[in-house]
């Protein structure tokens, strides 16, 4: 029963990881921009939701605020940080350092504005219901899984059937092809940022409700997203999705065997081994160099 | 005041060693490691453990730290041989996270989060060095030695092979260079010298714990190199000095509310990183444009 | 780019001017240091500590206890050892303080070497790890350490509440590990049983998995030993994930954020007992002014840092009266030769290991209010 309980907990965590990771993977896979401040998008969305909600505006406006906040931040990052850097020499590391810097800025600004302490979100949805003897599941777990399913279905439809979606997939391989389609590669990149950032919103709101908020929470999420992107295979959205789920499950099920301080190490040991043994990832398209 | 400046100068020289050794593999071999703090930590723990349990003599602690750092660097060399670009970065990141867990959990050696307290001062043939006024000479001399060693290496045939590999691995291999061996040696040398910085740092502060060796430190060192100028001689030192002076200067601004100083420091640090990357991606010293070492193609 | 350097230039200039001004004005004034968590996840404690120390400074200056003015130079420790060591180095070498206030077990252990080497007194009023009693003669505690709290709580739980099977959730750091040891030995003595121990890393935020394991252990009570934001998260997530057994914890839980949490209802927590109804003028004045200023009753941390600051003023006053310099060395000597001090909570004396002894009370939370179940006195 403990294993089943941990598996369900892991599924919830995995759904949240998958949402964030696919967001990152989409941005990185199509634009090759190492958007490390994706974790900052996460805390912006979480805090905006919380702030609008406790101010008494209700849940729907809060979700809208979180979504627009995340998208605006993603677009601003693209327009004012990455585009200027790439105009010059878009070295992977230059982008990384700049993005990391902005991540620090966001974390501290949020801390100054909303307080550096822990904020508990009061909701009855995080309260678990006993389904069977010793099996407790909070409604939020179902919401997490449902959100992930809906968002991924929509994303799949978009990438598959819309012109923008197809252009987005083509962007990383051949920006010229995008021009042939009559679309502006910059516009497509901006779309990747908007969609990638939007995917973070449900994850941020749900984690906020289950574990509370704290300005430093974006860091862990970002590391996991990166691991899931690599394990799933750079450029592969389904691969990243599966990897996110697997990492969430592994983190939770590892508790059966080890103390909780080892769970993060388990995740990154998986990552390390993957890079050594199967660098193309679970469903990666291109092999090693 | 004087003591404070000395203290800062010591930290700058120690971090300069870290930046210079990272620059060696980053700027000359194209190995972009996010795990540099791991070897800093290994050096610190190895020498402290030796000093606390066996002997505080620098002629024992330093070689032990270097040997262990060098041996464990093979773990980093492994992915460096297999993959490049973002894959290697991710691998080094994984290594960094794993190392932090081990540093926090192997309590018998590292003291866990609580760290090691009362680390004995550096002992050179019976002379104990811990006063900032004396310690500064030790760190500056070490920094100069490290600089000379690396300068020699870079301008030897080994260094030319390294740069050939950085620019094009396949071309270097075609010229009959033993690419895996050269890469491994450069990682080993860098790690061994990094461990020296760790040993000095530990005995200077008399206290270490895992917080000094986390991802943030790795990123800080990397930022020093990039902001100073990757692949230049003076760049890493300029970067180290700048990034360490900045927070100290901010903490003297009297008009800032005391409770917000920590955050304001961090915000300026972060903004500085981003702005420098936008307006001067080659670093402060760097004249030429950085080669795109991150490209995976 | 140019503007940034211009900015830095201006800043360093200001810093230099600031220094020269400071140097001349400090003739008879006294500055002590403080290493409090002012940022990071433990910043909630910083405000609580400062409320106590700042009030003490106001009182000392209003009474003209010292020849000059007393002030505190605060440094941000973030509640972590590494920033604390840097802050302590600055306090010792630049601000030249003879006396610092410290908080948190990890922080206090880390700075104790610097204090000892430079003869600067460090006084802890917040950390409760039992090893804090063994950090040398320059390290003092004005707070009873957690071993006393465990020693008070365990017999009460086992004998009076018939709670025998306990699970411990603890933070994996020196503090958490010392609770583990203390709980193991005390439970054995009292006839209880520690049926499972679950450690969590300092940075963890997600505890639903831990909660599942706690539930599986089917304990009578869960002892939670962490601090700051994490402590509150653990309690909330345990309750959210169906753990309905009694939750027990220590004095670190007595912060407003934690008490306000609905999930805290019914928890048992121990803490240092300060008799606020005591007739002595020091206590009366403290309680009156604190309540007027902050609109709530003071808690033990407010008291401890008020006491720590007042302790310095009392010692420095005595030294000034004798015409001696206020240095760490003289402060230590003075403390050793003074049999007792009038502080908030009554007249108290130091034990030989530099720690004050206070009675421990066992509290519970009922409808968001603290209610004392029992007070345990030690000799």
């Amino acid at each position: 029963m403990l294993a089943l309980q941990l598996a369900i907990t892991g599924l919830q965590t995995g759904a949240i990881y998958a949402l964030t990771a696919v967001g990152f993977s989409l941005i990185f896979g199509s634009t090759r921009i190492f958007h490390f401040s994706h974790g900052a998008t996460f805390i912006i969305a979480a805090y905006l939701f919380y702030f609008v909600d406790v101010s008494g505006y209700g849940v729907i406006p809060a979700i809208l605020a979180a979504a627009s906040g995340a998208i605006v931040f993603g677009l601003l990052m693209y327009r004012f940080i990455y585009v200027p850097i790439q105009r010059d020499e878009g070295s992977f590391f230059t982008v990384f350092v700049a993005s990391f810097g902005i991540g620090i800025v966001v974390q501290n600004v949020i801390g100054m504005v909303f307080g550096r302490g822990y904020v508990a979100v009061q909701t009855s949805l995080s309260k678990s219901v006993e389904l069977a003897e010793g099996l407790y599941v909070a409604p939020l777990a179902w919401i997490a899984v449902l959100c992930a399913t809906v968002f991924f279905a929509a994303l799949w439809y978009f990438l598959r059937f819309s012109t923008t979606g197809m252009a987005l997939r083509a962007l990383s391989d051949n920006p010229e092809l995008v021009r042939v389609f009559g679309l502006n590669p910059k516009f497509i990149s901006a779309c990747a940022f908007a969609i990638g950032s939007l995917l973070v919103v449900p994850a941020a709101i749900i984690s906020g409700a289950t574990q509370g908020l704290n300005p430093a929470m974006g860091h862990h999420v970002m590391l996991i997203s990166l691991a899931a992107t690599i394990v799933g295979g750079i450029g592969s959205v389904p691969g990243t999705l599966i990897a996110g789920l697997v990492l969430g499950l592994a983190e939770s099920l590892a508790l059966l065997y080890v103390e909780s301080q080892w769970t993060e190490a388990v995740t990154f040991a998986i990552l390390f081994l993957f890079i050594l043994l199967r660098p193309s990832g679970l469903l990666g398209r291109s092999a090693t160099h | 005041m004087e003591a404070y400046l000395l203290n800062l100068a010591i930290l700058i020289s120690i971090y300069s060693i870290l930046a210079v050794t990272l620059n060696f593999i980053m700027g000359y071999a194209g190995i972009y490691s996010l795990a540099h703090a791991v070897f800093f930590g290994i050096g610190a723990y190895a020498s402290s453990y030796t000093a606390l349990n066996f002997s505080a003599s620098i002629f024992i602690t330093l070689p032990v730290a270097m040997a262990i750092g060098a041996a464990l660097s093979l773990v980093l060399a492994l992915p460096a041989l297999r993959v490049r670009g973002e894959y290697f970065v991710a691998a080094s990141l994984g290594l960094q996270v794993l190392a932090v867990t081990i540093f926090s959990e192997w309590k018998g050696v590292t003291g866990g989060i609580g760290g090691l307290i009362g680390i004995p001062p550096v002992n050179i043939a019976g002379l104990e060095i811990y006063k900032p006024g004396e310690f500064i000479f030790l760190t500056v001399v070490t920094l100069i030695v490290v600089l000379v060693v690396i300068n020699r290496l870079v301008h030897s045939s080994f260094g030319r092979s390294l740069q050939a590999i950085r620019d094009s691995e396949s071309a270097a291999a075609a010229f009959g260079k033993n690419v895996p061996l050269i890469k491994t040696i450069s990682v080993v040398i860098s790690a061994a010298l990094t461990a020296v910085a760790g040993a000095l740092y530990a005995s200077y502060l008399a206290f270490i714990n895992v917080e000094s060796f986390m991802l943030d430190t790795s990123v800080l060192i990397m930022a020093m190199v990039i902001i100073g100028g990757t692949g230049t001689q003076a760049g890493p030192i300029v970067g180290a000095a700048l990034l360490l002076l900045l927070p100290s200067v901010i903490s003297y601004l009297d008009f800032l509310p005391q409770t917000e100083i920590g955050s304001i420091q961090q915000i300026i640090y972060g903004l500085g990183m981003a702005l420098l990357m936008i307006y001067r991606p080659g670093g402060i010293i760097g004249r030429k444009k950085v080669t795109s070492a991150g490209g995976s193609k | 780019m140019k503007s940034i350097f211009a900015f830095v230039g201006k800043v360093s200039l200001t810093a230099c001017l600031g220094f020269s001004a400071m140097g001349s004005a400090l003739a008879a004034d006294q500055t002590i240091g403080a290493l409090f968590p002012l940022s990071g996840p433990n910043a909630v404690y910083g405000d609580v500590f400062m409320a106590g120390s700042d009030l003490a400074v106001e009182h000392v200056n209003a009474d003209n206890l010292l020849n000059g003015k007393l002030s505190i130079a605060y440094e941000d420790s973030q509640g972590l050892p590494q920033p604390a060591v840097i802050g302590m180095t600055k306090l010792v070498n630049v601000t030249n303080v003879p006396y610092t206030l410290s908080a948190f077990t990890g922080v206090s252990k880390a700075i104790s070497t610097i204090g000892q080497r430079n003869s600067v007194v460090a006084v802890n009023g917040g950390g409760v790890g039992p090893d804090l009693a063994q950090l040398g003669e320059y390290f003092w505690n004005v707070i009873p350490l957690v071993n006393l709290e465990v020693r008070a709580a365990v017999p009460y739980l086992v004998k009076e509440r018939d709670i025998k099977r306990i699970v411990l959730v603890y933070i994996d750091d020196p503090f958490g590990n010392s609770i583990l040891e203390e709980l193991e030995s005390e439970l054995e003595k009292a006839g209880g049983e520690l049926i499972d121990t679950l450690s969590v890393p300092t940075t963890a935020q997600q505890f639903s998995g831990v909660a599942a394991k706690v539930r599986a252990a089917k304990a009578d009570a869960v002892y939670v030993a962490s601090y700051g934001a994490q402590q509150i998260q653990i309690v909330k997530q345990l309750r959210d994930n169906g753990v309905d057994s009694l939750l027990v914890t220590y004095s670190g839980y007595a912060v407003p954020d934690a008490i306000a949490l609905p999930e805290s209802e019914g928890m048992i927590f121990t803490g240092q007992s300060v008799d606020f109804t005591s007739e002595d003028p020091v206590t009366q004045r403290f309680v009156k002014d604190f309540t007027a200023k902050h609109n709530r009753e003071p808690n033990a941390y407010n008291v401890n840092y008020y006491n720590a600051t007042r302790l310095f003023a009392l010692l420095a006053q005595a030294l000034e009266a004798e015409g001696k310099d206020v240095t760490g060395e003289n402060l230590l000597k003075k403390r050793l030769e003074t049999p007792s001090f009038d502080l908030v909570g009554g007249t108290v004396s130091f034990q030989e290991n530099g720690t004050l002894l206070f009675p421990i009370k066992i509290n519970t939370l009922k409808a968001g209010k603290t209610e004392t179940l029992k007070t345990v006195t030690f000799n």
Side-chain angles (χ1 to χ4, degrees):
Chain A
M1 196 47 81
L2 183 59
L4 183 62
Q5 173 72 60
L6 289 176
I8 292 182
T9 310
L11 198 64
Q12 179 187 350
T13 318
I16 285 166
Y17 287 171
L19 281 165
T20 343
V22 167
F24 177 75
S25 172
L26 194 70
I27 294 171
F28 185 50
S30 55
T31 65
R32 289 281 150 170
I33 290 172
F34 198 83
H35 181 44
F36 203 84
S37 45
H38 195 55
T41 316
F42 188 90
I43 47 174
I44 288 175
Y47 271 91
L48 275 178
F49 174 83
Y50 166 78
F51 179 71
V52 175
D53 189 39
V54 289
S55 309
Y57 291 102
V59 175
I60 304 290
I63 293 176
L64 290 178
S68 30
I71 293 176
V72 166
F73 176 72
L75 291 176
L76 286 178
M77 282 301 290
Y78 175 66
R79 178 63 193 82
F80 292 104
I81 306 287
Y82 302 133
V83 169
I85 290 179
Q86 290 203 318
R87 186 182 303 144
D88 222 26
E89 181 84 50
S91 156
F92 172 76
F93 260 93
T94 325
V95 169
F96 171 76
V97 171
S99 193
F100 196 91
I102 296 295
I104 295 177
V105 172
V106 170
Q107 178 180 335
N108 284 282
V109 168
I110 297 251
M112 285 173 81
V113 176
F114 295 102
R116 284 167 289 254
Y118 162 79
V119 180
V121 178
Q122 289 309 330
T123 159
S124 55
L125 294 175
S126 66
K127 198 90 198 149
S128 298
V129 181
E130 188 167 14
L131 291 184
E133 170 79 21
L135 185 65
Y136 286 75
V137 182
L140 271 176
W142 306 125
I143 297 177
V145 174
L146 185 74
C147 272
T149 318
V150 170
F151 272 79
F152 288 135
L155 181 67
W156 176 79
Y157 185 84
F158 168 76
L159 289 177
R160 196 95 210 144
F161 297 109
S162 75
T163 327
T164 322
M166 282 186 270
L168 222 157
R169 285 191 294 148
L171 187 65
S172 63
D173 295 332
N174 192 347
E176 281 314 304
L177 195 67
V178 174
R179 278 209 185 86
V180 173
F181 268 101
L183 290 162
N184 177 356
K186 279 209 174 135
F187 169 74
I188 302 297
S189 297
C191 281
F193 272 89
I195 297 167
S197 304
L198 180 65
L199 285 171
V200 168
V201 175
I205 295 175
I206 293 167
S207 342
T210 38
Q211 38 176 290
L213 303 174
N214 146 357
M217 69 196 290
H219 204 64
H220 176 72
V221 170
M222 183 54 231
L223 287 180
I224 296 283
S225 301
L226 174 63
T229 302
I230 303 266
V231 169
I234 293 177
S236 162
V237 168
T240 309
L241 198 174
I242 296 169
L245 278 176
V246 168
L247 290 179
L249 282 170
E251 186 181 303
S252 186
L253 287 172
L255 278 178
L256 284 173
Y257 308 102
V258 296
E259 297 262 27
S260 66
Q261 57 265 39
W262 289 97
T263 52
E264 200 175 55
V266 168
T267 307
F268 285 89
I270 295 177
L271 170 69
F272 194 75
L273 289 178
F274 250 92
I275 291 173
L276 282 186
L277 304 175
R278 199 186 150 77
S280 54
L282 282 170
L283 305 174
R285 292 179 298 185
S286 58
T288 20
H289 320 277
Chain B
M1 187 62 202
E2 188 192 315
Y4 184 70
L5 287 179
L6 273 177
N7 175 46
L8 208 56
I10 290 170
L11 287 179
I12 290 175
S13 6
I14 292 177
Y15 273 91
S16 294
I17 299 176
L18 295 174
V20 166
T21 49
L22 179 64
N23 182 41
F24 175 58
I25 50 172
M26 232 168 91
Y28 299 106
I31 299 174
Y32 280 69
S33 164
L34 267 180
H36 210 58
V38 174
F39 300 101
F40 182 39
I42 289 171
Y45 285 121
S47 79
S48 310
Y49 189 79
T50 316
L52 285 166
N53 293 294
F54 304 105
S55 157
S57 165
I58 194 167
F59 302 112
I60 296 180
T61 55
L62 273 195
V64 168
M66 289 176 77
I68 296 180
L72 291 175
S73 71
L74 294 177
V75 186
L76 184 70
L78 207 59
L81 302 181
R82 295 266 306 162
V83 293
R84 299 196 63 180
E86 51 268 67
Y87 290 96
F88 176 75
V89 174
S92 66
L93 193 74
L95 195 68
Q96 172 69 54
V97 176
L98 282 176
V100 166
T101 308
I102 293 169
F103 289 161
S104 344
E105 292 309 313
W106 195 11
K107 300 194 181 82
V109 171
T110 66
I113 309 281
L116 299 173
I117 58 172
I119 298 165
V122 168
N123 185 320
I124 302 178
L127 196 71
E128 290 205 333
I129 300 182
Y130 64 91
K131 291 216 173 80
E134 298 159 1
F135 208 90
I136 183 77
F137 289 106
L138 186 61
T139 51
V140 169
V141 166
T142 317
L143 174 60
I144 292 172
V145 170
V146 169
L147 278 173
V148 168
V149 168
I150 290 199
N151 191 23
R152 280 287 182 81
L153 276 173
V154 168
H155 292 105
S156 67
S157 68
F158 178 78
R160 283 187 292 276
S161 310
L162 263 186
Q163 287 162 53
I165 292 175
R166 176 194 65 193
D167 296 337
S168 166
E169 208 162 298
S170 39
F175 274 104
K177 307 236 188 255
N178 187 342
V179 174
L181 184 70
I182 293 171
K183 270 190 162 181
T184 308
I185 291 178
S186 64
V187 170
V188 168
I189 293 174
S190 162
L193 293 175
T194 311
V196 173
L200 291 178
Y201 180 78
S203 64
Y204 176 62
L205 283 189
F207 165 84
I208 48 165
N209 81 341
V210 59
E211 285 152 26
S212 311
F213 315 117
M214 308 226 272
L215 178 62
D216 293 353
T217 312
S218 281
V219 174
L220 177 70
I221 305 170
M222 171 161 294
M224 286 170 177
V225 175
I226 295 184
I227 286 172
T230 320
T232 62
Q233 303 248 350
I237 300 174
V238 172
L242 186 70
L243 284 189
L244 289 179
L245 284 173
L246 201 61
S248 330
V249 167
I250 297 166
S251 72
Y252 283 109
L253 299 183
D254 289 338
F255 59 89
L256 295 177
Q258 249 154 350
T259 47
E260 303 296 349
I261 278 188
S263 301
I264 292 169
Q265 269 182 10
Q266 292 286 311
I267 289 172
I268 294 182
Y269 166 59
L271 263 184
M273 267 161 92
L275 290 177
L276 268 168
M277 288 306 100
I278 294 172
Y279 295 108
R280 208 164 167 106
I284 295 168
I285 300 294
R287 290 258 150 251
K288 65 183 173 100
K289 298 214 160 180
V290 273
T291 44
S292 92
S296 60
K297 300 255 156 65
Chain C
M1 193 67 270
K2 206 175 156 194
S3 60
I4 284 196
F5 284 113
F7 170 71
V8 171
K10 252 185 233 158
V11 165
S12 20
L13 196 66
T14 332
C16 294
L17 293 175
F19 269 117
S20 49
M22 240 166 70
S24 56
L26 280 181
D29 289 353
Q30 295 289 345
T31 303
I32 62 173
L35 291 156
F36 290 166
L38 304 177
S39 68
N42 291 311
V44 273
Y45 287 104
D47 299 336
V48 177
F49 298 159
M50 281 165 77
S53 53
D54 283 344
L55 184 63
V57 170
E58 274 175 35
H59 284 175
V60 168
N61 286 337
D63 295 354
N64 288 322
L65 223 50
L66 302 174
N67 292 342
K69 287 282 172 222
L70 174 65
S71 62
I72 302 183
Y74 287 104
E75 286 290 327
D76 183 9
S77 72
Q78 298 173 30
L80 298 171
Q82 177 67 23
V85 166
I86 292 166
M88 181 73 173
T89 310
K90 186 175 161 197
L91 286 175
V92 168
N93 290 330
V94 186
T95 325
N96 277 321
V97 299
Y99 188 96
T100 52
L101 309 178
S102 172
F104 283 68
T105 307
V107 165
S108 300
K109 286 178 82 168
I111 62 158
S112 62
T113 317
I114 305 177
Q116 190 78 24
R117 273 189 193 169
N118 296 284
S119 305
V120 171
V121 176
V123 183
N124 162 51
V128 286
D131 346 7
L132 292 180
Q134 281 117 38
L135 293 180
E137 52 183 348
Y138 280 96
F139 196 90
W140 312 345
N141 294 292
V142 291
I143 183 171
L145 302 179
V146 79
N147 40 358
L148 278 184
E149 295 192 39
V150 175
R151 248 170 255 171
V154 168
Y156 169 79
L157 290 173
V158 175
K159 303 209 167 101
E160 294 178 34
R161 299 286 290 262
D162 197 32
I163 283 166
K164 300 239 153 62
R165 296 160 46 82
I166 293 183
V167 169
L168 171 66
V169 179
Y170 68 104
I171 185 166
D172 183 37
D173 77 347
F175 166 74
N177 283 295
S178 61
I179 294 248
L180 169 67
E181 278 169 34
E182 203 64 37
L183 204 58
E184 259 172 351
S185 69
E186 287 304 311
L187 272 170
E188 202 186 312
K189 272 189 239 161
E193 195 190 345
L194 192 58
I195 52 174
D196 201 359
T197 59
L198 300 161
S199 61
V200 294
T202 45
T203 50
Q205 314 211 6
Q206 177 53 290
F207 304 103
S208 42
V210 169
K213 291 191 83 174
V214 168
R215 251 186 5 242
K218 299 202 183 344
D220 300 335
V222 185
Y223 197 105
V224 182
S226 173
Y227 40 76
Q230 194 182 50
Q231 174 99 339
I232 308 174
Q233 278 169 308
I234 295 176
V235 167
K236 178 168 192 294
Q237 291 184 39
L238 285 178
R239 287 292 186 233
D240 268 355
N241 288 284
V243 174
D244 47 16
S245 27
L246 179 69
L247 299 182
V248 185
T249 185
Y250 73 108
S251 53
Y253 207 67
V255 287
D257 284 7
I259 307 236
L261 193 76
E263 281 82 3
S264 301
E265 183 68 18
M267 274 180 80
I268 286 188
F269 65 100
T270 46
Q272 143 194 16
S273 168
V274 186
D275 185 8
F276 287 133
T277 56
S278 168
E279 293 291 310
D280 71 278
V282 179
T283 310
Q284 288 299 316
R285 182 186 186 197
F286 168 76
V287 176
K288 187 169 148 270
D289 289 0
F290 190 95
T291 319
K293 198 169 163 190
H294 296 278
N295 231 342
R296 62 172 176 83
E297 276 225 341
N299 64 27
Y301 290 130
N302 303 140
V303 173
N304 292 339
Y305 284 101
Y306 181 92
N307 279 347
T309 312
R310 181 175 162 80
L311 179 65
F312 169 79
L314 294 175
L315 291 170
Q317 185 193 24
L319 287 174
E320 281 179 352
E322 290 171 22
K324 286 186 188 155
D325 284 341
V326 182
T327 62
E329 220 174 327
N330 287 340
L331 287 167
L332 173 64
K333 257 189 232 152
K334 195 83 227 159
R335 196 213 84 200
L336 290 172
E337 58 187 56
T338 314
S340 66
F341 298 91
D342 288 332
L343 299 178
V344 174
T347 306
V348 290
S349 328
F350 278 89
Q351 298 179 74
E352 238 167 69
N353 60 11
T355 299
L356 284 182
L357 205 57
F358 275 97
I360 300 289
K361 55 183 178 179
I362 296 169
N363 304 312
T364 187
L365 279 172
K366 267 208 184 125
K369 288 260 180 298
T370 307
E371 209 168 87
T372 302
L373 298 166
K374 192 183 174 186
T375 305
V376 183
T377 332
F378 296 90
N379 295 306

